[in-house]
Amino acid sequence: MSSHVSYGALAVPTRRHLLDVLREQRRPMGLRELATITGLHANTVRFHLDVLTGAGFVAREQGPPTGPGRPATLYRSTSPGTSGGGYRLLVGILADRLAEADAEGLAEEAGRKWLNASAAADPPSEGDPPSEGDPLGTVTTRSVALFTELGFAPTAETSPSGSRIELHACPFIDEARKHPDVVCGVHRGLLRGVAEAITPAGVTTRLTPFARPGVCLAEIIR
């Protein structure tokens, strides 16, 4: 998956607004409800949701039966997003960890816990079709979406055996050079948290800091 897909999905203010609404409500929402809240035509909302879904920011699921006919399609955010930029996220994750001993292990645990806690109010549905059909593709798409929002300018290549995501613009580059165990440990935890939420035992993740100058490498292995 190219990073252009993720960047393009967020380039339109209407799509960012829809994503903000889903995150604020912290629950799956239907097309008509989203159209009412945003003041947009239902067909316009559907189009933008399709783009967000394809880029990994939103997932579809079936709502509960309410009578005859097919249950309504609901939409939910798949990533918690960030407020105030990536540095505030980093500080929030690490504030109570910096004085501890096992910096790398604690940083990774902190990243995973933050992701899990942020998604706890809106867990993935057991019947999430993308996860069942292609766990590797879903993990890759949502990892790219998350790292795009954090400012890493990711690009991804997927093969039958796994995916390689190059992180080209780490917003924490100076801190990562000084404390790679802490900063890169958080990013490793975020990557593993995404994978475990979708397919707990289906893939293995690996993050290599500075795989080449200015580029870190995230790998998702089938």
Side-chain angles (χ1 to χ4, degrees):
M1 172 184 172
S2 168
S3 62
H4 294 301
V5 175
S6 293
Y7 282 122
L10 297 178
V12 178
T14 298
R15 287 200 279 271
R16 294 199 301 271
H17 180 47
L18 278 169
L19 194 54
D20 287 341
V21 170
L22 286 170
R23 287 170 173 166
E24 288 168 3
Q25 295 296 321
R26 302 182 69 85
R27 60 181 173 82
M29 301 179 69
L31 186 67
R32 291 184 180 178
E33 184 180 11
L34 286 166
T36 299
I37 291 175
T38 60
L40 298 170
H41 191 278
N43 288 339
T44 302
V45 173
R46 182 183 290 107
F47 168 77
H48 289 307
L49 287 171
D50 286 345
V51 174
L52 289 168
T53 300
F57 294 107
V58 169
R60 298 185 187 93
E61 60 186 59
Q62 284 192 342
T66 57
R70 185 176 181 179
T73 299
L74 301 180
Y75 299 85
R76 58 178 174 80
S77 168
T78 60
S79 61
T82 61
S83 59
Y87 281 100
R88 184 176 297 177
L89 166 65
L90 184 65
V91 170
I93 293 174
L94 297 178
D96 62 346
R97 302 287 186 174
L98 293 177
E100 303 289 346
D102 179 14
E104 184 173 4
L106 288 171
E108 182 174 332
E109 179 188 357
R112 294 167 71 181
K113 283 188 174 181
W114 177 82
L115 194 65
N116 290 339
S118 299
D122 188 16
S125 166
E126 291 183 0
D128 193 347
S131 299
E132 290 184 356
D134 181 15
L136 174 64
T138 302
V139 173
T140 302
T141 299
R142 295 188 186 173
S143 296
V144 169
L146 176 62
F147 282 114
T148 295
E149 286 205 272
L150 293 176
F152 284 85
T155 59
E157 294 182 359
T158 301
S159 69
S161 61
S163 298
R164 292 166 55 91
I165 303 173
E166 291 190 348
L167 308 176
H168 294 268
C170 177
F172 321 113
I173 189 68
D174 293 334
E175 288 71 21
R177 285 175 176 145
K178 295 175 186 176
H179 306 290
D181 51 347
V182 174
V183 177
C184 301
V186 169
H187 302 154
R188 188 176 293 111
L190 292 173
L191 179 66
R192 291 185 177 175
V194 171
E196 290 174 358
I198 295 168
T199 173
V203 297
T204 300
T205 60
R206 181 165 60 212
L207 190 143
T208 305
F210 308 112
R212 68 174 195 267
V215 177
C216 298
L217 177 64
E219 295 176 275
I220 305 164
I221 304 163
R222 197 185 297 275

